[in-house]
Amino acid sequence: MPAYKVPQREMRFLMNEVLDYPAHYAGLAQGSEATPDVVEAIVQECAKLCEEVVAPLYQSGDEQGCQFNAGEVTTPQGFREAYDAFVAGGWQGLSHPVEYGGQGLPISLGLIKQEMLGTANWPFSMYPGLSLGAMNTILMHGDEAQKQTYLVPLTEGRWAGTMCLTEPQCGTDLGQVKTTATPQGDGSYRLNGTKIFISSGEHDLTENIIHIVLARLPDAPKGTRGISLFIVPKFTVNADGSLGERNPVSCGALEKKMGIKASSTCVMNFDGAEGYLIGEPNKGLECMFTFMNSARIGTAIQGVGSAERAYQGALAYAKERRSMRALSGTKEREQIADSLHHHGDVRRMLLTQKVIAEGGRALLYEAAQKADFMIEGLLAGDMRTYEAWDDKLGFITPILKGCLTELGLESANIGMQVFGGHGYIREHGMEQIVRDARISTLYEGTTGIQGLDLLGRKVLLLTQGKAVRQYTRDMLKVALPLVKQPRLRRHALTVLKLAAQWNWLTVRIALKARKEREVVSTACHDFLMYSGYAALAFIWLKMAAKAAERLEQGGEQSADFYRAKLASADFYFERLLPRGKAHAQSMLKNAQSLMSTPIEHFAFD
Ligand SMILES: Cc1cc2nc3c(=O)[nH]c(=O)nc-3n(C[C@H](O)[C@H](O)[C@H](O)COP(=O)(O)OP(=O)(O)OC[C@H]3O[C@@H](n4cnc5c(N)ncnc54)[C@H](O)[C@@H]3O)c2cc1C
């Protein structure tokens, strides 16, 4: 397994040059502490922890996996020490309010931390990752007493959190949830039911685990309108904050799964477990969206992390492995054969990984700024600002989750391909990245569900296309002046065309869907992927523009970096973006070729 090196030059290019994080933080109330020196120290310290402590446990964690014994789960060797180091560094509460034990820094810095942690060791990062979702839910929807009781130890990392939605009969369609919550007359409830696939449901990293659980109150309406949200602690909490009795919520089994073996995936049994309502009765799913949105962006990070980790491995291998001679003539005469990277097809693979990792990261860092503005509005009690940014983030979230995880998985597969047969052999670590990346397109809403959320809900139902119009307006604003620059002209024109086409496609699909509703479902995957390629084109144009500007200013010692960035942008526009055209064509077809064949005719004996 190749060692993980945090790509700090890349990160600084995005933060300091393309997205101007220093100016962004200077304009935020929450950003006053995030001075360039502090940000630099955070990146360096986090990189050190990830490279030296967390990443080395990635492969051994996969080999050992989590162990289950009589309801207890043991994480792989070294995980506890690494988690303790993570907690001691105050990393869990980096972006959470000071009054609840956090450091109060902008949420974007938290995302950058998550990226480093998740790329170093995704299964490890899931423990604090799930806690973050629980923290966000309690912060947004909990009452003050709940915040004091649960949020503070979660923020300090002493306790961990989970998200208990899925049941055997339903994962996507949570309207089918059966777990019940019966009021006890003293403000508490007793929960009964079984949840499956619960990440971090049980483990040995923390003294307590706080489950955030979807359940039904007696007489609740059927479907999604009858679901409420509860806090269920593994150990109840005494008035003084000390741990009380063991609550009857327990892990019945660990799932045996394809990848992320060091992350515990648990069957959780609630046998009359004490729980407390969070938010209003029957509004559980709305509250849970807080959790899900942050979890979706968290999962998009997994896409970028898989791409980056696989790229680092593949690049190193392509430099050291030799095979045949380059078609354009011998490159390394003194060697028995040329290195892999001299071959066009290997370069295609490496550059595909590169533009996915770098473009995906850039989209995430840009979305993180939107999240900062959204939180700023929330903390100031300015709900209009909050909602405006929430809408913008809500539009890009399914694109990030859906498209970046699909592309991250592609990049992981390419990593294995670059290694040839050795990629399939465990010791090289590339097959682990593929196995681990595979889940990213499934949990937190499958890719299909992201497509439906984007096209059906965010674009057609909620905004009648306005979400696309808003996003593409920014594309026009940025691309238009760049048409005048010879080096960027072609790409800028392409982005202008994409902006027009994206709107046109939206209108066409809206009209079709009026006549044939199923079109939303038959077109949503293509619409999602098209949107992803368009958004990536936009961010690659921005990166290329910054690189060109720097080169014009002299470029100093980084000239090679900027030239490589421009070359990568060329590769993206020439070689990856054309995939968007196929999606555009496909999405406009009638639903007929998918829907007209009866299911009995799908296969014949
Ligand atoms: C390793 C792992 C960790 C997980 N962690 C958690 C966790 O911590 N907490 C938690 O609550 N859950 C967790 N899950 C569950 C996960 O979120 C669900 O598996 C996922 O949401 C899909 O639900 P499902 O498996 O029931 O699939 P289904 O909902 O049965 O879907 C099956 C297929 O049908 C498609 N489909 C379903 N409905 C529609 C529709 N209306 N239109 C079009 N297509 C549709 C889906 O896209 C999918 O391809 C985890 C799962 C795994 C494997």
Side-chain angles (χ1 to χ4, degrees), residues 126 130 162-174 195-201 255 257 259-260 263-265 288 439 442-449 452 518 521 524:
M126 285 186 69
L130 267 294
T162 74
M163 162 166 148
C164 298
L165 286 67
T166 304
E167 296 185 4
Q169 73 286 0
C170 66
T172 303
D173 183 8
L174 293 169
K195 298 281 177 182
I196 61 165
F197 299 167
I198 304 308
S199 301
S200 317
E255 306 288 358
K257 54 195 196 293
I260 57 165
S263 158
S264 64
T265 308
M288 206 70 198
I439 185 62
L442 296 167
Y443 55 17
E444 304 311 338
T446 58
T447 306
I449 296 308
L452 279 176
E518 200 61 47
S521 188
C524 71

mmCIF file of all heavy atoms in Angstrom, residues 126 130 162-174 195-201 255 257 259-260 263-265 288 439 442-449 452 518 521 524, ligand 1:
data_model
loop_
_atom_site.group_PDB
_atom_site.id
_atom_site.type_symbol
_atom_site.label_atom_id
_atom_site.label_comp_id
_atom_site.label_asym_id
_atom_site.label_seq_id
_atom_site.Cartn_x
_atom_site.Cartn_y
_atom_site.Cartn_z
ATOM 1 N N MET A 126 -14.865 7.215 9.613
ATOM 2 C CA MET A 126 -16.320 7.097 9.754
ATOM 3 C C MET A 126 -16.767 7.249 11.210
ATOM 4 O O MET A 126 -17.873 7.710 11.469
ATOM 5 C CB MET A 126 -16.807 5.768 9.192
ATOM 6 C CG MET A 126 -16.803 5.792 7.665
ATOM 7 S SD MET A 126 -17.521 4.342 6.953
ATOM 8 C CE MET A 126 -19.243 4.505 7.361
ATOM 9 N N LEU A 130 -19.581 9.999 11.693
ATOM 10 C CA LEU A 130 -20.960 9.786 12.137
ATOM 11 C C LEU A 130 -21.269 10.682 13.335
ATOM 12 O O LEU A 130 -22.377 11.217 13.465
ATOM 13 C CB LEU A 130 -21.179 8.314 12.497
ATOM 14 C CG LEU A 130 -21.728 7.390 11.394
ATOM 15 C CD1 LEU A 130 -23.144 7.772 11.007
ATOM 16 C CD2 LEU A 130 -20.875 7.350 10.144
ATOM 17 N N THR A 162 -24.260 8.076 16.162
ATOM 18 C CA THR A 162 -24.656 7.257 15.017
ATOM 19 C C THR A 162 -25.900 7.851 14.365
ATOM 20 O O THR A 162 -26.510 8.785 14.895
ATOM 21 C CB THR A 162 -25.039 5.808 15.416
ATOM 22 O OG1 THR A 162 -26.317 5.840 16.058
ATOM 23 C CG2 THR A 162 -24.015 5.164 16.308
ATOM 24 N N MET A 163 -26.265 7.234 13.270
ATOM 25 C CA MET A 163 -27.463 7.640 12.546
ATOM 26 C C MET A 163 -28.249 6.360 12.268
ATOM 27 O O MET A 163 -27.821 5.533 11.464
ATOM 28 C CB MET A 163 -26.960 8.296 11.273
ATOM 29 C CG MET A 163 -27.880 8.448 10.161
ATOM 30 S SD MET A 163 -27.061 9.624 9.039
ATOM 31 C CE MET A 163 -27.627 9.062 7.486
ATOM 32 N N CYS A 164 -29.378 6.176 12.984
ATOM 33 C CA CYS A 164 -30.121 4.908 12.889
ATOM 34 C C CYS A 164 -31.409 5.108 12.100
ATOM 35 O O CYS A 164 -32.470 5.413 12.675
ATOM 36 C CB CYS A 164 -30.440 4.382 14.279
ATOM 37 S SG CYS A 164 -29.004 4.012 15.264
ATOM 38 N N LEU A 165 -31.310 4.949 10.793
ATOM 39 C CA LEU A 165 -32.472 5.112 9.916
ATOM 40 C C LEU A 165 -32.931 3.763 9.372
ATOM 41 O O LEU A 165 -34.098 3.402 9.468
ATOM 42 C CB LEU A 165 -32.106 5.987 8.711
ATOM 43 C CG LEU A 165 -31.926 7.483 8.844
ATOM 44 C CD1 LEU A 165 -30.723 7.839 9.674
ATOM 45 C CD2 LEU A 165 -31.789 8.087 7.472
ATOM 46 N N THR A 166 -31.984 3.044 8.780
ATOM 47 C CA THR A 166 -32.312 1.881 7.950
ATOM 48 C C THR A 166 -32.864 0.717 8.772
ATOM 49 O O THR A 166 -32.366 0.428 9.866
ATOM 50 C CB THR A 166 -31.042 1.443 7.197
ATOM 51 O OG1 THR A 166 -30.556 2.568 6.469
ATOM 52 C CG2 THR A 166 -31.328 0.312 6.226
ATOM 53 N N GLU A 167 -33.881 0.063 8.224
ATOM 54 C CA GLU A 167 -34.446 -1.152 8.825
ATOM 55 C C GLU A 167 -34.451 -2.234 7.745
ATOM 56 O O GLU A 167 -34.282 -1.925 6.557
ATOM 57 C CB GLU A 167 -35.860 -0.865 9.347
ATOM 58 C CG GLU A 167 -35.836 0.170 10.466
ATOM 59 C CD GLU A 167 -37.189 0.415 11.112
ATOM 60 O OE1 GLU A 167 -38.179 -0.266 10.752
ATOM 61 O OE2 GLU A 167 -37.253 1.303 11.992
ATOM 62 N N PRO A 168 -34.660 -3.487 8.145
ATOM 63 C CA PRO A 168 -34.549 -4.550 7.130
ATOM 64 C C PRO A 168 -35.420 -4.296 5.899
ATOM 65 O O PRO A 168 -35.012 -4.575 4.777
ATOM 66 C CB PRO A 168 -35.009 -5.797 7.890
ATOM 67 C CG PRO A 168 -34.676 -5.507 9.316
ATOM 68 C CD PRO A 168 -34.863 -4.029 9.492
ATOM 69 N N GLN A 169 -36.612 -3.758 6.088
ATOM 70 C CA GLN A 169 -37.533 -3.597 4.961
ATOM 71 C C GLN A 169 -37.329 -2.277 4.215
ATOM 72 O O GLN A 169 -37.913 -2.063 3.164
ATOM 73 C CB GLN A 169 -38.996 -3.705 5.437
ATOM 74 C CG GLN A 169 -39.540 -2.529 6.230
ATOM 75 C CD GLN A 169 -39.009 -2.429 7.657
ATOM 76 O OE1 GLN A 169 -38.211 -3.253 8.095
ATOM 77 N NE2 GLN A 169 -39.433 -1.416 8.388
ATOM 78 N N CYS A 170 -36.520 -1.361 4.752
ATOM 79 C CA CYS A 170 -36.403 -0.056 4.071
ATOM 80 C C CYS A 170 -35.101 0.666 4.368
ATOM 81 O O CYS A 170 -34.646 0.713 5.508
ATOM 82 C CB CYS A 170 -37.583 0.834 4.433
ATOM 83 S SG CYS A 170 -37.644 1.323 6.152
ATOM 84 N N GLY A 171 -34.529 1.210 3.281
ATOM 85 C CA GLY A 171 -33.363 2.081 3.414
ATOM 86 C C GLY A 171 -33.653 3.400 2.727
ATOM 87 O O GLY A 171 -33.585 4.477 3.321
ATOM 88 N N THR A 172 -34.077 3.316 1.467
ATOM 89 C CA THR A 172 -34.432 4.532 0.731
ATOM 90 C C THR A 172 -35.785 5.059 1.207
ATOM 91 O O THR A 172 -35.932 6.254 1.507
ATOM 92 C CB THR A 172 -34.519 4.220 -0.782
ATOM 93 O OG1 THR A 172 -33.273 3.686 -1.209
ATOM 94 C CG2 THR A 172 -34.867 5.448 -1.578
ATOM 95 N N ASP A 173 -36.743 4.163 1.289
ATOM 96 C CA ASP A 173 -38.120 4.560 1.578
ATOM 97 C C ASP A 173 -38.380 4.545 3.081
ATOM 98 O O ASP A 173 -38.983 3.614 3.622
ATOM 99 C CB ASP A 173 -39.067 3.578 0.858
ATOM 100 C CG ASP A 173 -40.528 3.954 1.050
ATOM 101 O OD1 ASP A 173 -40.791 5.038 1.611
ATOM 102 O OD2 ASP A 173 -41.387 3.158 0.643
ATOM 103 N N LEU A 174 -37.931 5.616 3.746
ATOM 104 C CA LEU A 174 -37.990 5.623 5.209
ATOM 105 C C LEU A 174 -39.419 5.770 5.744
ATOM 106 O O LEU A 174 -39.653 5.640 6.947
ATOM 107 C CB LEU A 174 -37.074 6.712 5.763
ATOM 108 C CG LEU A 174 -35.588 6.417 5.502
ATOM 109 C CD1 LEU A 174 -34.727 7.629 5.805
ATOM 110 C CD2 LEU A 174 -35.113 5.216 6.303
ATOM 111 N N LYS A 195 -32.743 -1.911 13.809
ATOM 112 C CA LYS A 195 -32.115 -1.127 12.738
ATOM 113 C C LYS A 195 -30.964 -1.961 12.178
ATOM 114 O O LYS A 195 -30.282 -2.663 12.936
ATOM 115 C CB LYS A 195 -31.572 0.188 13.298
ATOM 116 C CG LYS A 195 -32.642 1.101 13.898
ATOM 117 C CD LYS A 195 -33.396 1.838 12.822
ATOM 118 C CE LYS A 195 -34.512 2.697 13.388
ATOM 119 N NZ LYS A 195 -35.286 3.378 12.338
ATOM 120 N N ILE A 196 -30.747 -1.859 10.871
ATOM 121 C CA ILE A 196 -29.610 -2.603 10.294
ATOM 122 C C ILE A 196 -28.643 -1.626 9.617
ATOM 123 O O ILE A 196 -29.001 -0.475 9.346
ATOM 124 C CB ILE A 196 -30.066 -3.678 9.280
ATOM 125 C CG1 ILE A 196 -30.806 -3.045 8.088
ATOM 126 C CG2 ILE A 196 -30.937 -4.735 9.954
ATOM 127 C CD1 ILE A 196 -30.947 -3.990 6.899
ATOM 128 N N PHE A 197 -27.467 -2.142 9.347
ATOM 129 C CA PHE A 197 -26.419 -1.387 8.623
ATOM 130 C C PHE A 197 -25.991 -0.125 9.382
ATOM 131 O O PHE A 197 -25.684 0.895 8.749
ATOM 132 C CB PHE A 197 -26.906 -0.951 7.229
ATOM 133 C CG PHE A 197 -27.278 -2.055 6.283
ATOM 134 C CD1 PHE A 197 -27.977 -1.777 5.116
ATOM 135 C CD2 PHE A 197 -26.918 -3.362 6.517
ATOM 136 C CE1 PHE A 197 -28.313 -2.775 4.219
ATOM 137 C CE2 PHE A 197 -27.250 -4.374 5.632
ATOM 138 C CZ PHE A 197 -27.949 -4.088 4.481
ATOM 139 N N ILE A 198 -26.007 -0.150 10.701
ATOM 140 C CA ILE A 198 -25.708 1.089 11.436
ATOM 141 C C ILE A 198 -24.199 1.247 11.644
ATOM 142 O O ILE A 198 -23.570 0.501 12.403
ATOM 143 C CB ILE A 198 -26.474 1.123 12.791
ATOM 144 C CG1 ILE A 198 -27.973 0.948 12.528
ATOM 145 C CG2 ILE A 198 -26.176 2.409 13.559
ATOM 146 C CD1 ILE A 198 -28.580 1.899 11.476
ATOM 147 N N SER A 199 -23.658 2.243 10.947
ATOM 148 C CA SER A 199 -22.219 2.499 11.033
ATOM 149 C C SER A 199 -21.882 3.013 12.425
ATOM 150 O O SER A 199 -22.593 3.881 12.957
ATOM 151 C CB SER A 199 -21.807 3.560 10.009
ATOM 152 O OG SER A 199 -22.131 3.123 8.719
ATOM 153 N N SER A 200 -20.833 2.470 13.004
ATOM 154 C CA SER A 200 -20.348 2.869 14.337
ATOM 155 C C SER A 200 -21.373 2.595 15.437
ATOM 156 O O SER A 200 -21.310 3.210 16.504
ATOM 157 C CB SER A 200 -19.960 4.359 14.376
ATOM 158 O OG SER A 200 -19.253 4.733 13.233
ATOM 159 N N GLY A 201 -22.316 1.677 15.157
ATOM 160 C CA GLY A 201 -23.367 1.377 16.139
ATOM 161 C C GLY A 201 -22.800 0.896 17.455
ATOM 162 O O GLY A 201 -23.338 1.188 18.523
ATOM 163 N N GLU A 255 -22.259 -6.760 10.317
ATOM 164 C CA GLU A 255 -22.451 -7.193 8.930
ATOM 165 C C GLU A 255 -21.100 -7.639 8.361
ATOM 166 O O GLU A 255 -20.080 -6.998 8.621
ATOM 167 C CB GLU A 255 -22.994 -6.045 8.066
ATOM 168 C CG GLU A 255 -24.250 -5.374 8.581
ATOM 169 C CD GLU A 255 -25.513 -6.232 8.454
ATOM 170 O OE1 GLU A 255 -25.418 -7.357 7.931
ATOM 171 O OE2 GLU A 255 -26.577 -5.765 8.899
ATOM 172 N N LYS A 257 -18.974 -7.634 5.209
ATOM 173 C CA LYS A 257 -19.156 -6.827 3.993
ATOM 174 C C LYS A 257 -17.923 -6.786 3.096
ATOM 175 O O LYS A 257 -16.856 -7.228 3.481
ATOM 176 C CB LYS A 257 -19.628 -5.422 4.372
ATOM 177 C CG LYS A 257 -18.765 -4.689 5.366
ATOM 178 C CD LYS A 257 -19.541 -3.499 5.925
ATOM 179 C CE LYS A 257 -18.639 -2.512 6.621
ATOM 180 N NZ LYS A 257 -18.021 -3.001 7.865
ATOM 181 N N GLY A 259 -16.130 -4.184 1.843
ATOM 182 C CA GLY A 259 -15.026 -3.264 2.144
ATOM 183 C C GLY A 259 -15.265 -2.555 3.460
ATOM 184 O O GLY A 259 -16.051 -3.020 4.294
ATOM 185 N N ILE A 260 -14.590 -1.423 3.644
ATOM 186 C CA ILE A 260 -14.598 -0.651 4.902
ATOM 187 C C ILE A 260 -14.746 -1.584 6.114
ATOM 188 O O ILE A 260 -15.567 -1.359 6.996
ATOM 189 C CB ILE A 260 -15.621 0.512 4.895
ATOM 190 C CG1 ILE A 260 -17.051 0.058 4.625
ATOM 191 C CG2 ILE A 260 -15.235 1.595 3.919
ATOM 192 C CD1 ILE A 260 -18.100 1.144 4.987
ATOM 193 N N SER A 263 -14.603 -0.346 9.717
ATOM 194 C CA SER A 263 -15.736 0.448 10.212
ATOM 195 C C SER A 263 -16.819 -0.540 10.635
ATOM 196 O O SER A 263 -17.208 -1.404 9.846
ATOM 197 C CB SER A 263 -16.231 1.352 9.083
ATOM 198 O OG SER A 263 -17.551 1.733 9.306
ATOM 199 N N SER A 264 -17.299 -0.421 11.871
ATOM 200 C CA SER A 264 -18.302 -1.397 12.327
ATOM 201 C C SER A 264 -19.654 -1.060 11.706
ATOM 202 O O SER A 264 -20.098 0.085 11.740
ATOM 203 C CB SER A 264 -18.389 -1.402 13.857
ATOM 204 O OG SER A 264 -18.849 -0.172 14.341
ATOM 205 N N THR A 265 -20.280 -2.049 11.104
ATOM 206 C CA THR A 265 -21.619 -1.884 10.514
ATOM 207 C C THR A 265 -22.537 -2.851 11.270
ATOM 208 O O THR A 265 -22.411 -4.065 11.124
ATOM 209 C CB THR A 265 -21.593 -2.218 9.006
ATOM 210 O OG1 THR A 265 -20.547 -1.457 8.385
ATOM 211 C CG2 THR A 265 -22.916 -1.885 8.341
ATOM 212 N N MET A 288 -33.905 15.089 10.244
ATOM 213 C CA MET A 288 -32.865 14.157 9.795
ATOM 214 C C MET A 288 -32.157 14.670 8.549
ATOM 215 O O MET A 288 -31.017 14.298 8.281
ATOM 216 C CB MET A 288 -33.518 12.804 9.512
ATOM 217 C CG MET A 288 -32.604 11.655 9.645
ATOM 218 S SD MET A 288 -32.190 11.405 11.374
ATOM 219 C CE MET A 288 -30.754 10.399 11.207
ATOM 220 N N ILE A 439 -18.875 1.341 -1.575
ATOM 221 C CA ILE A 439 -20.049 1.683 -0.754
ATOM 222 C C ILE A 439 -20.485 3.144 -0.962
ATOM 223 O O ILE A 439 -21.643 3.503 -0.747
ATOM 224 C CB ILE A 439 -19.761 1.423 0.753
ATOM 225 C CG1 ILE A 439 -21.002 1.647 1.635
ATOM 226 C CG2 ILE A 439 -18.601 2.257 1.269
ATOM 227 C CD1 ILE A 439 -22.149 0.751 1.343
ATOM 228 N N LEU A 442 -23.603 3.954 -2.661
ATOM 229 C CA LEU A 442 -24.790 3.279 -2.135
ATOM 230 C C LEU A 442 -25.380 3.963 -0.905
ATOM 231 O O LEU A 442 -26.584 4.250 -0.847
ATOM 232 C CB LEU A 442 -24.439 1.827 -1.768
ATOM 233 C CG LEU A 442 -24.020 0.937 -2.945
ATOM 234 C CD1 LEU A 442 -23.400 -0.354 -2.447
ATOM 235 C CD2 LEU A 442 -25.222 0.632 -3.815
ATOM 236 N N TYR A 443 -24.514 4.188 0.113
ATOM 237 C CA TYR A 443 -25.118 4.739 1.343
ATOM 238 C C TYR A 443 -25.300 6.260 1.248
ATOM 239 O O TYR A 443 -24.824 6.890 0.334
ATOM 240 C CB TYR A 443 -24.391 4.311 2.621
ATOM 241 C CG TYR A 443 -22.905 4.579 2.762
ATOM 242 C CD1 TYR A 443 -22.206 5.478 1.980
ATOM 243 C CD2 TYR A 443 -22.188 3.891 3.746
ATOM 244 C CE1 TYR A 443 -20.859 5.690 2.167
ATOM 245 C CE2 TYR A 443 -20.829 4.107 3.937
ATOM 246 C CZ TYR A 443 -20.180 5.001 3.139
ATOM 247 O OH TYR A 443 -18.846 5.218 3.310
ATOM 248 N N GLU A 444 -26.017 6.774 2.222
ATOM 249 C CA GLU A 444 -26.443 8.197 2.199
ATOM 250 C C GLU A 444 -27.251 8.491 0.949
ATOM 251 O O GLU A 444 -27.192 9.591 0.410
ATOM 252 C CB GLU A 444 -25.246 9.153 2.279
ATOM 253 C CG GLU A 444 -24.325 8.969 3.450
ATOM 254 C CD GLU A 444 -25.055 8.873 4.772
ATOM 255 O OE1 GLU A 444 -26.206 9.349 4.852
ATOM 256 O OE2 GLU A 444 -24.495 8.289 5.709
ATOM 257 N N GLY A 445 -28.008 7.529 0.487
ATOM 258 C CA GLY A 445 -28.807 7.708 -0.726
ATOM 259 C C GLY A 445 -28.003 7.259 -1.932
ATOM 260 O O GLY A 445 -26.945 7.829 -2.219
ATOM 261 N N THR A 446 -28.500 6.248 -2.635
ATOM 262 C CA THR A 446 -27.792 5.734 -3.809
ATOM 263 C C THR A 446 -27.656 6.837 -4.869
ATOM 264 O O THR A 446 -28.312 7.887 -4.768
ATOM 265 C CB THR A 446 -28.606 4.594 -4.432
ATOM 266 O OG1 THR A 446 -29.899 5.115 -4.778
ATOM 267 C CG2 THR A 446 -28.775 3.423 -3.475
ATOM 268 N N THR A 447 -26.866 6.548 -5.888
ATOM 269 C CA THR A 447 -26.705 7.537 -6.963
ATOM 270 C C THR A 447 -28.064 7.840 -7.604
ATOM 271 O O THR A 447 -28.365 9.004 -7.915
ATOM 272 C CB THR A 447 -25.732 6.994 -8.033
ATOM 273 O OG1 THR A 447 -24.526 6.611 -7.376
ATOM 274 C CG2 THR A 447 -25.428 8.036 -9.090
ATOM 275 N N GLY A 448 -28.879 6.796 -7.779
ATOM 276 C CA GLY A 448 -30.205 7.008 -8.361
ATOM 277 C C GLY A 448 -31.036 7.972 -7.519
ATOM 278 O O GLY A 448 -31.729 8.846 -8.050
ATOM 279 N N ILE A 449 -30.918 7.832 -6.217
ATOM 280 C CA ILE A 449 -31.707 8.696 -5.324
ATOM 281 C C ILE A 449 -31.169 10.129 -5.358
ATOM 282 O O ILE A 449 -31.935 11.097 -5.276
ATOM 283 C CB ILE A 449 -31.721 8.107 -3.886
ATOM 284 C CG1 ILE A 449 -32.431 6.735 -3.892
ATOM 285 C CG2 ILE A 449 -32.351 9.046 -2.884
ATOM 286 C CD1 ILE A 449 -33.821 6.707 -4.527
ATOM 287 N N LEU A 452 -32.675 11.608 -8.441
ATOM 288 C CA LEU A 452 -34.086 11.976 -8.227
ATOM 289 C C LEU A 452 -34.196 13.234 -7.381
ATOM 290 O O LEU A 452 -35.026 14.112 -7.636
ATOM 291 C CB LEU A 452 -34.819 10.834 -7.507
ATOM 292 C CG LEU A 452 -35.301 9.669 -8.362
ATOM 293 C CD1 LEU A 452 -35.918 8.596 -7.483
ATOM 294 C CD2 LEU A 452 -36.309 10.132 -9.417
ATOM 295 N N GLU A 518 -42.850 9.562 -15.541
ATOM 296 C CA GLU A 518 -41.763 8.606 -15.331
ATOM 297 C C GLU A 518 -40.438 9.122 -15.902
ATOM 298 O O GLU A 518 -39.362 8.666 -15.507
ATOM 299 C CB GLU A 518 -42.149 7.266 -15.977
ATOM 300 C CG GLU A 518 -41.385 6.073 -15.456
ATOM 301 C CD GLU A 518 -41.552 5.801 -13.963
ATOM 302 O OE1 GLU A 518 -42.688 5.815 -13.477
ATOM 303 O OE2 GLU A 518 -40.529 5.598 -13.284
ATOM 304 N N SER A 521 -37.691 9.879 -13.539
ATOM 305 C CA SER A 521 -36.894 8.738 -13.070
ATOM 306 C C SER A 521 -35.968 8.203 -14.169
ATOM 307 O O SER A 521 -34.812 7.870 -13.905
ATOM 308 C CB SER A 521 -37.827 7.628 -12.575
ATOM 309 O OG SER A 521 -37.099 6.607 -11.953
ATOM 310 N N CYS A 524 -33.070 10.881 -14.665
ATOM 311 C CA CYS A 524 -32.366 11.526 -13.541
ATOM 312 C C CYS A 524 -30.886 11.154 -13.457
ATOM 313 O O CYS A 524 -30.056 11.999 -13.113
ATOM 314 C CB CYS A 524 -33.089 11.284 -12.225
ATOM 315 S SG CYS A 524 -32.992 9.603 -11.619
HETATM 316 C C1 LIG B 1 -21.707 -0.349 4.913
HETATM 317 C C2 LIG B 1 -23.010 0.348 5.089
HETATM 318 C C3 LIG B 1 -23.129 1.354 6.028
HETATM 319 C C4 LIG B 1 -24.361 1.978 6.232
HETATM 320 N N1 LIG B 1 -24.496 2.908 7.242
HETATM 321 C C5 LIG B 1 -25.732 3.322 7.585
HETATM 322 C C6 LIG B 1 -25.946 4.085 8.764
HETATM 323 O O1 LIG B 1 -25.004 4.442 9.476
HETATM 324 N N2 LIG B 1 -27.215 4.400 9.100
HETATM 325 C C7 LIG B 1 -28.292 4.035 8.351
HETATM 326 O O2 LIG B 1 -29.403 4.343 8.730
HETATM 327 N N3 LIG B 1 -28.127 3.340 7.209
HETATM 328 C C8 LIG B 1 -26.878 2.958 6.821
HETATM 329 N N4 LIG B 1 -26.705 2.221 5.687
HETATM 330 C C9 LIG B 1 -27.853 1.915 4.841
HETATM 331 C C10 LIG B 1 -27.821 2.642 3.509
HETATM 332 O O3 LIG B 1 -27.983 4.016 3.682
HETATM 333 C C11 LIG B 1 -28.900 2.010 2.608
HETATM 334 O O4 LIG B 1 -28.466 0.696 2.293
HETATM 335 C C12 LIG B 1 -29.144 2.813 1.365
HETATM 336 O O5 LIG B 1 -29.756 4.032 1.686
HETATM 337 C C13 LIG B 1 -30.029 2.072 0.354
HETATM 338 O O6 LIG B 1 -31.150 1.517 0.968
HETATM 339 P P1 LIG B 1 -31.504 -0.023 0.718
HETATM 340 O O7 LIG B 1 -30.273 -0.799 0.937
HETATM 341 O O8 LIG B 1 -32.683 -0.367 1.525
HETATM 342 O O9 LIG B 1 -31.850 -0.105 -0.813
HETATM 343 P P2 LIG B 1 -33.301 0.074 -1.467
HETATM 344 O O10 LIG B 1 -33.945 1.268 -0.900
HETATM 345 O O11 LIG B 1 -34.022 -1.222 -1.359
HETATM 346 O O12 LIG B 1 -32.939 0.355 -2.983
HETATM 347 C C14 LIG B 1 -32.556 -0.676 -3.896
HETATM 348 C C15 LIG B 1 -32.322 -0.063 -5.278
HETATM 349 O O13 LIG B 1 -33.531 0.526 -5.761
HETATM 350 C C16 LIG B 1 -33.351 1.892 -6.089
HETATM 351 N N5 LIG B 1 -34.544 2.623 -5.700
HETATM 352 C C17 LIG B 1 -35.205 2.558 -4.528
HETATM 353 N N6 LIG B 1 -36.267 3.363 -4.555
HETATM 354 C C18 LIG B 1 -36.294 3.962 -5.753
HETATM 355 C C19 LIG B 1 -37.166 4.907 -6.380
HETATM 356 N N7 LIG B 1 -38.215 5.409 -5.752
HETATM 357 N N8 LIG B 1 -36.860 5.306 -7.625
HETATM 358 C C20 LIG B 1 -35.786 4.816 -8.266
HETATM 359 N N9 LIG B 1 -34.939 3.922 -7.722
HETATM 360 C C21 LIG B 1 -35.182 3.500 -6.480
HETATM 361 C C22 LIG B 1 -32.114 2.325 -5.307
HETATM 362 O O14 LIG B 1 -31.456 3.395 -5.941
HETATM 363 C C23 LIG B 1 -31.289 1.048 -5.294
HETATM 364 O O15 LIG B 1 -30.533 0.979 -6.466
HETATM 365 C C24 LIG B 1 -25.470 1.619 5.438
HETATM 366 C C25 LIG B 1 -25.336 0.620 4.456
HETATM 367 C C26 LIG B 1 -24.143 -0.030 4.302
HETATM 368 C C27 LIG B 1 -24.067 -1.143 3.289
#
